[in-house]
Structures are given as C-alpha cells and as structure tokens.
Amino acid sequence: MKRLFTAATVGIATLAAVTFAPVAEATTGPPVVRTAQGAVRGTSGPLGASFQGIPYATAERFAAPRPAASWTGVRDATAPGKVCAQPLGYPIGRPSTDEDCLTVNVATPARHRGRLPVIVWIHGGSMMFGMGDLYGPGRLAAGGAVVVSMNYRLGVTSFLTHPALPESGSLALDDQRAALRWVRDNIRAFGGDPGRVTIMGQSGGGFSVCGHLASPASAGLFQRAIVQSAPCGETGHASRTRAEALADSAPVIAAVGCADRADVAGCLRAVPIERLLAAFGTDREPRPLSGTPALPLPVGEALRTGRFSRVPVLIGVNHDEENGRILGQELATGTPMAREDYEPAVRKAYGSRAAAVLKRYPLGDSAGQTFAAVLTDELWAAPSLDTARTLSRWTPTRMYEFAEQDTPWYAGYPAPSFPVAAQHMAELAYLFDVPLFEKLTPAQSALADRLIGAWVHFAATGETGWPRLRDSRSGWYVQSLTSGAWKRADFTTDHHYRFWS
C-alpha cells in the first residue's frame, strides 16, 4: 500500500463525524454498555450507535499485550483512542509517538432483532501506518452487523526482532488477537453474536487476516474471513523467517546505538521512540514472524498444506490495483508517464523477460495505464487467484474482483491523466465512510449498498450469491462486482493468468 502514495499525496483529511446505532441500558440519552472492564458511554444518531477508544489491552514496548485494567463508573467512549506510533508518511496514517494505544471502536445499527453477525475490521497500511477510526463504519453497520475496528502496533514497535526481545517480532498479530479475545468476551453486550465473527482486512490488514488463518493461537476466535487485496499464498511473502527478521532488524538496532550494549533489550526500551521510528524508516513492508508457537509455519506453507483454520473465506482483488501507484508518481512529478518511457520501464522491471512482456502488453493510449496493467496482473491478479485456489482445496472459498470503473478519486487532488478505475483501496470508499475520497455519487452509493449487502450476508452465513471457487475444466469462478449486472469475470484471460503463471 505504501508504494501507492507519494510525497505529493501526504496529508490527512479531517475525519467526518459519524453516528451509529444504539445498544444501551437506557431508552433515552447516550447509549451505555457494560463491558468486562467497566461501563462505556457512546453516541447515537440516525444510523445507530458508536463507541470509540475502548481499551482492549495495554502495550509496553516490545512486550506482548496484557489485559486492560478495569475502571469504575462510566468511561467516555465518544472519541477515538490514541494512534499507534508511526512516522509521517501517507494519508492513511497519522504521525504519532504513542505506544500504549490498543483500543477498539464498536458500531451497531439503529434497529435490529436478535444477535447480529460481527465484522472485525483490520486496517491496512503495510503494517506501518494507519488507525481504525479512519474508516467510518456507519453504513457497513447499518447493513446489519456489529462492526469493530482497532488500533494495533505497527512498524518498529511491532516487528523489531532480537534474541533479547523474546515477545517481539509479530506484535501486530498479537495485538489483533487480543482484540479478537475482547470481542469474544464483550460483543454480546453490543448485540453481536460471538459465534459469527468475521475478520476482514485489506492490503496489510488482509495479510494480517491470512496470518490469523495460519495461526493456531487465533483458531476459534473467528468463523469467517474476508481478504481484500492481499495475495498471501506462497508467492505473496505473507510472513518472515526468524533469520529474515533478524537481518531486517540488525541495522535498526545498530543505528540507535544498542547493538553492542550488554543489555540490548534495556537499551532498546530506553531509546526515544522518535529515534526508533527514524531508524526503521518508511520504506518497508514488514510481515509477521514464522517459526513461533503462534505461527509455526510460513503463512503460504500453512495454506498450501491445509494447516490453517478452515473457515469460509471471501477473497478478492481490484481490477486496476496499480493505477494508484502510477498516478501517485504522476502527482509527484507533475507530468504523466511519457510514451517513450514505457519500454525502458518494462525492460528495467523485467530484464530478460521484457520482450515477452512487451509483446503481451503493447503500448496503449496511455503509457502509465499500460504499465499499471502489467504490474497489476503480475503482482496482484495472478497471485490472488493462486491464493484463492490454494484455499479452495481445503475450505469453502469465494473469489471476487472489484471492477467498477467509475470510482471516486482522492479528495482535493488534481484530476488524473487516465481513469483511476478500480485502483488499490477503491472498494473501501464503498464499504466505509473514508474522508480520503471524494463523496460518492448516487450511482456509486447504490453500488455501495450492494457491496455492503454482500459482505454482511457473508458475515452472517458464510455464503455469497455466486459459486465457490473450484479447480475444474470450466476454469475458476471469479465474480465481477460493478455497478452493472454482477456476473462471472473473464479473469484468467483479462489478466493473462497463464502467462504470469
């Protein structure tokens, strides 16, 4: 995800106020709910009730999350919690030096009967940036679900690895798992069904979902999974070995002056967080550590061998994922990719394979759009189908492609030189209220309602309105999701699947 944003797109939009559905002890006034730690008071409005900034665990530097302390009285839950420590980087995040930041947000619909399915949203951002409250869940909750989002540790505070830090290396997944335990223990009080929990993530959040599928420590905490734009099979690099993690961390530990200390752990815990963030930098996409009790196998191997939680999975990809990266570069330079730059770019990226790529992808009307299609097919479409096929051999799996071409662009930025279409993150504007994007048109809002209906139906039943993915002579069924009729995508031909395979 981080590659899709450039310095030209840095900036944080002001979050719009969102209201959700009441689940309260009283029939009038702000809604109050009793959790295992104490009572919380939220806000209510036309769509339902919202409870924000509820502690689900406490975080000490490089240590596993511990249970949150209880409180007396009624805790205010009308504002988001602290953003977890992260550097200045991209508009999906917010610079922060806060380390004790583990909170959840809960949204419920205004009118419902019985226990509702629960959707636990794990935000993206390369596991480097982001916060749960950026994604306003009002419309998704109004579709008939209790929606939970969270803040979890990112970047250096999650993934720094050293023998002196036995609990560090995958703290993002540990935090998310603690949030899932909080959901198991508390969601009934908000009207949710702890036996129908769907974990849902996009990009870095989708890779997190794959990590939980592969983690025996997460088994039983969820009953369905939605993976958006996160090809996490064996070609997707969804986890790291200990050797890789140690090699990634060594330069960071040296840069802050702790490598040669007798007490490396004590030194790292005493270093100002600003120095750790600077040493870790922004040009990384860290992944959870495998070879541990919580993640014994690399994620791809766990999926391939069937040693994962075999729950129903909805997995998908966007038709034009890399449009965002190419258009982000265009914003940075101020000019579109020149036609004469297309062939050199392909030759630089593909070396000895470049001639075959150029023959398969002749230059079209736009050099940037053509190059984006190449990258989308190689990096996203083909490995996403590979991942879905792997999952489908063991568990009920549905695959979709978000292919809508009339999608909102980023609010306040110059118009792109070619249609943004179904770029990376495009579907999020339909599932959530995300201030990063332009306001939806009526036609786009109608598609949003359909998508939300499909996602909530899957969370409730583990089913969709299209067939399961299966290896068969007729190929693999991938549902195309657009503002028109939903039908089978010509996925393998459209994305030259066999060429990349």
Side-chain angles (χ1 to χ4, degrees):
M1 163 139 354
K2 65 182 177 57
R3 297 178 308 187
L4 306 185
F5 294 95
T6 65
T9 63
V10 171
I12 303 297
T14 301
L15 297 181
V18 216
T19 51
F20 319 113
V23 176
E25 292 181 341
T27 57
T28 60
V32 175
V33 167
R34 294 195 177 278
T35 73
Q37 286 74 40
V40 292
R41 179 186 295 109
T43 58
S44 61
L47 293 179
S50 167
F51 304 84
Q52 296 182 298
I54 306 171
Y56 68 85
T58 60
E60 295 181 4
R61 187 182 291 185
F62 304 130
R66 305 293 194 261
S70 299
W71 58 84
T72 58
V74 180
R75 184 187 184 100
D76 182 78
T78 61
K82 296 177 180 178
V83 173
C84 289
Q86 57 190 276
L88 174 67
Y90 304 98
I92 51 171
R94 185 182 304 146
S96 171
T97 57
D98 288 312
E99 297 184 67
D100 195 4
C101 55
L102 305 184
T103 60
V104 292
N105 313 300
V106 184
T108 65
R111 287 177 293 276
H112 64 87
R113 300 179 67 179
R115 297 290 174 191
L116 293 174
V118 181
I119 297 176
V120 179
W121 168 245
I122 305 174
H123 70 77
S126 297
M127 299 188 188
M128 287 281 292
F129 305 95
M131 56 278 187
D133 61 277
L134 177 65
Y135 305 86
R139 289 185 290 116
L140 184 59
V146 175
V147 180
V148 180
S149 64
M150 70 184 79
N151 290 348
Y152 58 91
R153 280 174 286 183
L154 304 158
V156 68
T157 62
S158 171
F159 297 103
L160 196 70
T161 306
H162 189 275
L165 303 174
E167 293 183 335
S168 189
S170 297
L171 290 170
L173 256 62
D174 294 335
D175 293 346
Q176 295 162 14
R177 193 177 297 111
L180 289 171
R181 294 192 186 102
W182 184 94
V183 168
R184 177 196 62 195
D185 297 340
N186 291 282
I187 208 63
R188 283 184 183 275
F190 295 88
D193 182 352
R196 287 191 297 167
V197 174
T198 297
I199 53 173
M200 167 183 167
Q202 182 267 351
S203 196
F207 281 102
S208 295
V209 170
C210 293
H212 291 297
L213 284 169
S215 172
S218 301
L221 294 174
F222 59 95
Q223 290 73 43
R224 338 230 191 273
I226 301 176
V227 181
Q228 300 173 208
S229 299
C232 56
E234 290 200 276
T235 61
H237 308 293
S239 55
R240 305 175 297 165
T241 65
R242 181 168 294 277
E244 290 170 332
L246 290 170
D248 288 345
S249 299
V252 179
I253 296 170
V256 297
C258 293
D260 298 324
R261 297 294 184 91
D263 182 7
V264 174
C267 179
L268 289 170
R269 290 191 173 101
V271 170
I273 185 62
E274 294 85 353
R275 288 183 60 198
L276 282 170
L277 291 170
F280 201 73
T282 60
D283 191 23
R284 295 174 183 263
E285 293 188 356
R287 292 290 181 261
L289 178 64
S290 65
T292 68
L295 192 60
L297 298 175
V299 170
E301 182 181 346
L303 301 188
R304 176 176 57 81
T305 59
R307 285 177 278 185
F308 65 93
S309 293
R310 299 182 190 178
V311 301
V313 177
L314 174 61
I315 182 170
V317 67
N318 290 357
H319 184 276
D320 312 287
E321 293 273 3
E322 287 284 314
N323 281 7
R325 174 150 62 125
I326 300 302
L327 290 171
Q329 293 171 349
E330 177 180 306
L331 286 173
T333 62
T335 57
M337 184 178 186
R339 295 183 65 80
E340 58 269 23
D341 290 338
Y342 172 66
E343 182 174 337
V346 171
R347 294 196 179 280
K348 180 179 179 181
Y350 295 99
S352 62
R353 299 180 295 159
V357 174
L358 289 165
K359 182 178 180 181
R360 181 71 56 156
Y361 294 84
L363 178 60
D365 293 337
S366 162
Q369 191 172 25
T370 307
F371 192 46
V374 174
L375 297 175
T376 293
D377 291 355
E378 183 209 9
L379 300 177
W380 299 93
S384 290
L385 180 53
D386 286 341
T387 303
R389 290 179 62 193
T390 298
L391 287 163
S392 71
R393 293 171 188 135
W394 303 101
T395 197
T397 303
R398 269 86 175 177
M399 184 172 176
Y400 73 87
E401 176 178 56
F402 181 73
E404 176 60 21
Q405 297 298 289
D406 180 21
T407 59
W409 179 232
Y410 297 113
Y413 290 104
S417 66
F418 60 86
V420 62
Q423 66 159 332
H424 194 66
M425 286 185 66
E427 85 284 14
L428 299 185
Y430 295 79
L431 296 169
F432 298 99
D433 294 310
V434 185
L436 195 62
F437 293 103
E438 296 170 336
K439 186 177 179 181
L440 298 184
T441 66
Q444 291 166 344
S445 293
L447 175 56
D449 291 342
R450 295 170 68 190
L451 285 176
I452 287 170
W455 262 234
V456 171
H457 180 70
F458 177 80
T461 66
E463 303 281 344
T464 64
W466 59 89
R468 290 168 55 175
L469 187 90
R470 290 185 174 90
D471 281 353
S472 67
R473 291 183 178 180
S474 62
W476 304 282
Y477 193 100
V478 180
Q479 184 81 337
S480 177
L481 306 180
T482 69
S483 55
W486 287 8
K487 58 186 179 181
R488 182 174 184 170
D490 191 8
F491 192 89
T492 56
T493 300
D494 192 19
H495 294 290
H496 306 282
Y497 175 68
R498 296 192 183 280
F499 175 78
W500 293 109
S501 297

